């Protein structure tokens, strides 16, 4: 684990979530300066802070630490959130119709 790479991934996920350092700090109950230091690779964090960051950023700890994961990355999670927002107010029948359309289209997407 490289602290600089970890910091880059934290910042990438934070910005993709449209969070400021202050927003993220508030979510995990630390100072904005501490978030800055983590993102610059200047500070190490406790296991509890890593878990809190993972939860706040909706990404796996493996992704934050190593850049790899079986789970979705932060950009994957954001794409899923966008899809959820698009269909959240649809009736069950319309959601089923959307699912059928997507099932038909998926084999043709590259």
């Amino acid at each position: 684990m490289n602290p600089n790479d970890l910091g880059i991934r934290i910042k990438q996920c934070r910005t993709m979530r449209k969070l400021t350092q202050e927003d993220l700090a508030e979510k995990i109950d630390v100072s904005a300066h501490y978030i800055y230091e983590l993102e610059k690779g200047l500070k190490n964090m406790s296991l509890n802070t890593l878990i809190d960051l993972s939860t706040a950023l909706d990404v796996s700890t493996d992704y934050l630490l190593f850049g790899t994961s079986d789970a979705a990355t932060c950009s994957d999670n954001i794409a899923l959130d966008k899809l959820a927002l698009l269909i959240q107010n649809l009736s069950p029948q319309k959601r089923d119709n959307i699912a059928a359309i997507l099932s038909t289209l998926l084999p043709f997407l590259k």
Side-chain angles (χ1 to χ4, degrees):
M1 176 198 74
N2 180 330
N4 291 327
D5 292 341
L6 171 63
I8 289 168
R9 284 188 289 276
I10 292 169
K11 183 175 182 177
Q12 176 190 33
C13 289
R14 176 181 60 76
T15 57
M16 291 184 85
R17 287 271 178 222
K18 296 182 176 22
L19 296 171
T20 64
Q21 289 177 339
E22 291 79 12
D23 294 334
L24 182 56
E26 186 175 311
K27 283 181 174 276
I28 66 168
D29 197 28
V30 297
S31 72
H33 186 72
Y34 182 66
I35 298 295
Y36 165 81
E37 291 175 321
L38 290 175
E39 290 182 354
K40 293 295 183 184
L42 302 173
K43 287 271 186 174
N44 291 319
M45 69 184 92
S46 69
L47 180 57
N48 287 337
T49 301
L50 175 64
I51 292 167
D52 290 345
L53 276 171
S54 171
T55 301
L57 295 171
D58 193 25
V59 66
S60 74
T61 54
D62 282 351
Y63 178 75
L64 288 177
L65 290 172
F66 308 110
T68 60
S69 173
D70 292 335
T73 64
C74 53
S75 60
D76 293 336
N77 287 338
I78 290 170
L80 290 173
D81 289 349
K82 286 180 182 177
L83 285 173
L85 285 172
L86 287 172
I87 65 169
Q88 73 180 356
N89 294 323
L90 297 178
S91 69
Q93 182 181 10
K94 287 183 179 180
R95 285 194 298 263
D96 289 343
N97 290 342
I98 295 291
I101 291 167
L102 286 174
S103 295
T104 303
L105 290 175
L106 284 176
F108 301 101
L109 297 177
K110 292 185 178 193

